[in-house]
């Protein structure tokens, strides 16, 4: 089955610890994204990558880091510098735009991070 | 910067009836994409429908249709023959045309839809 997987589904972290969230896709998509969702709110973009070994900051990148060493993988590290990391994290991917195609983003199931 | 506004925090509808969700956006771009995503209690984000701004025809996907008013910067979603499985949060989202923008999605705050039996 083609799709996007995120692991773990639930993650607990102590204050001061870094933690890495996994995102893998087998859709052969070039672009990948990380979003954060707080209760009762929409999604906000953390980081995105349009190609391997390249990524850009989104609207709320402070306290987060990413890497893109492989096309299918885009892990997100939540560092101790992130002041309020408890949230729901969603990963997405899309094809690069060519001709008339649209870059619809498809989402993974998400990871719920709780800082204790 | 683009903004997306959903003015209805919550709506309820009887099963088999129709409900319309509103969305307005602000942009200076002429070409762009608009989306509606559904987020059920599982929290998975599911694409419902998409609209390209250069197309005048409103998009339709089975029981879901949009009313796209480009001049008014309005993009409403109509759910016809509502089903219990339609109960979810619905998010309107904007994506600019320019590749330099990185294909970023800007989301509204969401509308919670409750379908009652």
């Amino acid at each position: 089955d083609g799709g996007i997987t995120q692991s773990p589904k639930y993650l607990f972290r102590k204050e001061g610890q870094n933690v890495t969230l996994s995102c893998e896709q087998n859709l052969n998509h070039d672009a990948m994204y990380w979003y954060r969702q707080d209760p009762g709110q929409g999604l906000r973009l953390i980081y995105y990558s349009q190609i391997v070994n390249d990524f850009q900051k989104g609207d709320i990148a402070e306290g987060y880091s990413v890497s893109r060493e492989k096309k299918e993988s885009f892990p997100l590290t939540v560092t101790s510098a992130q002041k309020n990391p408890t949230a729901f994290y969603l990963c997405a991917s899309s094809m690069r735009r060519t001709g008339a195609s649209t870059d619809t983003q498809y989402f993974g199931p998400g990871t719920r991070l709780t800082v204790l | 910067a683009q903004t997306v506004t959903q003015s209805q925090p919550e709506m309820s509808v009887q099963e088999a009836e129709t409900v319309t969700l509103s969305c307005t956006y602000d942009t200076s771009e002429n070409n762009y994409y608009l989306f509606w995503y559904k987020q059920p209690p599982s929290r998975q984000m599911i694409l419902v429908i998409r609209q390209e701004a250069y197309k005048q025809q409103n998009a339709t996907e089975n029981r879901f249709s949009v009313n796209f008013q480009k001049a008014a910067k309005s993009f409403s979603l109509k759910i016809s023959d509502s089903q219990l499985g339609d109960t979810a949060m619905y998010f309107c989202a904007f994506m600019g045309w320019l590749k330099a923008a990185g294909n970023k999605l800007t989301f509204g705050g969401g509308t919670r839809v409750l379908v009652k039996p």
Side-chain angles (χ1 to χ4, degrees):
Chain A
D1 279 319
I4 303 170
T5 57
Q6 291 186 241
S7 61
K9 188 172 182 179
Y10 299 96
L11 188 56
F12 297 90
R13 184 195 97 174
K14 292 182 180 179
E15 277 194 38
Q17 289 181 336
N18 291 356
V19 64
T20 298
L21 282 59
S22 169
C23 178
E24 304 275 335
Q25 55 95 3
N26 61 4
L27 300 169
N28 201 31
H29 286 171
D30 288 291
M32 297 186 74
Y33 311 80
W34 274 105
Y35 292 90
R36 169 182 171 139
Q37 185 179 29
D38 291 288
Q41 297 185 29
L43 280 65
R44 293 182 292 167
L45 182 66
I46 305 172
Y47 267 99
Y48 64 101
S49 168
Q50 298 191 72
I51 197 169
V52 175
N53 291 324
D54 186 50
F55 49 83
Q56 287 79 39
K57 293 181 179 180
D59 300 320
I60 55 165
E62 186 176 349
Y64 299 98
S65 66
V66 294
S67 63
R68 187 84 189 277
E69 297 177 2
K70 298 186 296 182
K71 184 177 182 177
E72 57 271 19
S73 178
F74 191 41
L76 173 74
T77 297
V78 184
T79 75
S80 57
Q82 169 51 232
K83 291 183 172 55
N84 186 20
T86 294
F88 187 61
Y89 291 87
L90 285 152
C91 177
S93 70
S94 69
M95 294 176 66
R96 294 184 76 180
R97 183 179 298 135
T98 56
S101 67
T102 54
D103 297 309
T104 301
Q105 292 184 23
Y106 297 94
F107 287 81
T111 293
R112 172 69 182 172
L113 173 63
T114 302
V115 174
L116 303 173
Chain B
Q2 288 82 12
T3 58
V4 178
T5 303
Q6 295 178 247
S7 59
Q8 305 148 314
E10 193 166 322
M11 299 189 74
S12 64
V13 59
Q14 291 295 132
E15 198 174 5
E17 294 190 347
T18 296
V19 63
T20 299
L21 312 182
S22 65
C23 171
T24 58
Y25 56 93
D26 187 25
T27 184
S28 58
E29 296 184 43
N30 187 48
N31 291 322
Y32 46 86
Y33 302 108
L34 293 163
F35 303 86
W36 279 99
Y37 282 90
K38 166 185 175 180
Q39 188 177 42
S42 67
R43 305 198 74 175
Q44 172 94 46
M45 291 289 283
I46 302 165
L47 176 70
V48 175
I49 201 165
R50 67 187 182 206
Q51 174 81 43
E52 292 88 346
Y54 61 85
K55 290 185 178 179
Q56 293 189 342
Q57 186 174 7
N58 289 323
T60 299
E61 285 288 343
N62 300 315
R63 297 182 295 106
F64 299 89
S65 61
V66 298
N67 183 4
F68 173 49
Q69 301 289 328
K70 191 173 182 179
K73 295 181 182 175
S74 171
F75 184 60
S76 62
L77 175 71
K78 183 169 79 172
I79 307 174
S80 303
D81 186 24
S82 297
Q83 300 176 0
L84 296 177
D86 295 333
T87 292
M89 282 287 286
Y90 287 81
F91 292 96
C92 179
F94 171 100
M95 184 172 74
W97 179 268
L98 297 174
K99 288 188 180 183
N103 305 338
K104 295 188 294 180
L105 278 171
T106 300
F107 285 85
T111 296
R112 185 176 303 279
V113 173
L114 174 64
V115 181
K116 297 180 178 178

